[in-house]
Amino acid sequence: MSYLITYTNVNGYLIPNLTFKSGEQMEQLGKYGFLRRDYLKNHKNSLYQVMLLQDTIGGHLLEVDKVARAREEVILKQLEEKEPLSDKEADQMAWVRAANQHRAIAEEIILRELL
């Protein structure tokens, strides 16, 4: 197996042109992926560095983000079944208040479970 490595000449030094798959994946991250990245950086720095060097961090963060969003949808549906939102047309402020409360509860559960 051979690799083609290209170099850039900077003041007489040859610097390899390195690319990572994770760079493209990081552009697709959502809120929960960034929260997981920050957690790894601040609390599991050695694991974060290993994943960064092995170029597996992007896939891991995308997977965490995807799972967290799916879990959020499930929790929101369960909360709406348990405590239905009021009629939006009748009292819009009450509806917004209840929807925000449901979202805050779902986010708190996800942060405790996944991140």
Side-chain angles (χ1 to χ4, degrees):
M1 182 183 271
S2 65
Y3 296 100
L4 177 63
I5 299 176
T6 59
Y7 297 88
T8 302
N9 188 343
V10 179
N11 296 328
Y13 294 100
L14 293 177
I15 310 293
N17 300 323
L18 301 176
T19 58
F20 293 98
K21 296 182 302 186
S22 294
E24 297 168 0
Q25 294 171 333
M26 295 294 259
E27 294 175 1
Q28 302 170 4
L29 281 184
K31 172 184 178 178
Y32 297 110
F34 283 113
L35 288 172
R36 176 66 176 175
R37 184 196 65 183
D38 291 343
Y39 171 78
L40 289 173
K41 268 182 159 179
N42 296 326
H43 301 286
K44 306 272 186 185
N45 195 14
S46 59
L47 176 62
Y48 174 76
Q49 294 296 328
V50 167
M51 292 176 82
L52 196 61
L53 289 173
Q54 292 176 347
D55 200 24
T56 58
I57 190 76
H60 171 73
L61 296 178
L62 277 176
E63 182 66 24
V64 168
D65 191 60
K66 179 178 147 187
V67 169
R69 288 183 187 282
R71 181 75 174 120
E72 181 181 39
E73 288 179 22
V74 169
I75 292 170
L76 287 173
K77 285 180 185 177
Q78 290 174 346
L79 286 171
E80 195 167 328
E81 288 173 3
K82 186 177 179 184
E83 298 174 19
L85 298 175
S86 61
D87 184 27
K88 187 175 182 179
E89 299 296 324
D91 189 3
Q92 201 170 27
M93 289 304 290
W95 182 86
V96 169
R97 197 170 25 254
N100 285 341
Q101 183 180 15
H102 284 184
R103 187 159 304 280
I105 292 169
E107 186 174 312
E108 186 66 31
I109 292 170
I110 290 169
L111 291 177
R112 290 196 185 274
E113 286 181 352
L114 298 175
L115 306 176

